[in-house]
Amino acid sequence: MYQEANGGYGSGLVPMLEHGDKLVIESDVVAKYVAQNINGADGMGDGMYPDPVEDVEFYQHLEEFLHVWQRATDTYYDVLRASSQEEAKNCEKQFTTSLMNVDALLQKYDGDFILGEIFSTAECISAPWIQRAFITLPYFRGIDLEDDIISKNSMEHVSAWMKAVRDRPSCVESCCPEDEMIAACKRYYVSFLSPGAKGSL
């Protein structure tokens, strides 16, 4: 089914949604599809993905953010995939730079979230990565995300935004168990443990 939706390619080790006669793959695409096509009870979820015609400004905010955020997730994975401490440190610098770019973008917005007080598709997409980073970076790299990267580089907007996302009741309820986060990293990404990190392989 995955290969059918993806033109015959891929292993199927990513989220996939079957909705009616449609197959949607990749978590970001699934999140956008749900926000645009599936109505919540009593209108819950309306406005999570702005209409590109009727809500041009919010739509542009969200797409601009997702473009910048993608670099943060890519460099986060690079930190985990590093096979030496030197490589890990270089990747950490790139990850830090990517979060500083996120912080600069967040300065343009008002409210707790990208769309002000609306918990948007951007937060739905970024929440799992935020939750994982706070667990996996200390475990495998000895990096405290808040103290060693965010606060150290005065990213006040990233700090406040990530806290709002992590404290969101729906994010708390749906958070993946820590042991499963760690196990997935060991299975797919991490082959090297940084000196001083609290974890194991």
Side-chain angles (χ1 to χ4, degrees):
M1 188 178 290
Y2 174 88
Q3 291 186 347
E4 177 185 343
N6 201 32
Y9 300 98
S11 64
L13 298 177
V14 295
M16 180 178 70
L17 171 70
E18 183 178 9
H19 182 232
D21 61 350
K22 293 186 179 296
L23 292 174
V24 188
I25 59 172
E26 305 290 350
S27 56
D28 294 10
V29 180
V30 169
K32 289 182 179 181
Y33 180 87
V34 170
Q36 290 174 293
N37 295 281
I38 300 177
N39 298 322
D42 299 323
M44 291 181 65
D46 288 354
M48 290 183 67
Y49 191 80
D51 186 286
V53 176
E54 296 181 1
D55 300 306
V56 176
E57 183 178 1
F58 276 4
Y59 172 79
Q60 291 176 342
H61 281 180
L62 189 144
E63 289 296 325
E64 180 183 27
F65 173 84
L66 289 177
H67 176 74
V68 175
W69 177 253
Q70 182 62 55
R71 179 61 180 162
T73 61
D74 289 345
T75 52
Y76 157 72
Y77 275 129
D78 289 341
V79 175
L80 292 181
R81 291 191 183 106
S83 57
S84 68
Q85 186 62 7
E86 180 180 4
E87 183 182 0
K89 284 296 183 184
N90 288 333
C91 291
E92 181 186 346
K93 291 178 183 178
Q94 296 177 35
F95 178 55
T96 299
T97 298
S98 70
L99 286 182
M100 292 176 71
N101 291 335
V102 172
D103 191 77
L105 192 58
L106 288 170
Q107 294 181 41
K108 298 166 56 175
Y109 309 142
D110 296 321
D112 290 339
F113 306 115
I114 304 304
L115 303 183
E117 299 308 315
I118 298 174
F119 188 82
S120 74
T121 307
E123 280 79 31
C124 289
I125 289 171
S126 56
W129 311 114
I130 295 171
Q131 292 165 335
R132 290 172 191 151
F134 275 94
I135 299 302
T136 58
L137 292 178
Y139 188 91
F140 294 109
R141 295 290 169 257
I143 299 171
D144 184 298
L145 180 57
E146 181 64 44
D147 293 343
D148 298 335
I149 294 181
I150 296 174
S151 295
K152 185 177 180 180
N153 292 278
S154 302
M155 299 185 219
E156 297 178 1
H157 297 85
V158 162
S159 180
W161 172 70
M162 285 189 172
K163 184 179 187 308
V165 172
R166 294 174 74 201
D167 289 347
R168 177 87 173 182
S170 58
C171 292
V172 174
E173 286 292 323
S174 62
C175 185
C176 179
E178 292 185 14
D179 60 339
E180 293 185 17
M181 294 184 194
I182 298 299
C185 285
K186 290 181 180 181
R187 189 178 306 118
Y188 298 116
Y189 311 115
V190 180
S191 61
F192 163 78
L193 188 68
S194 292
K198 66 181 183 179
S200 63
L201 291 179

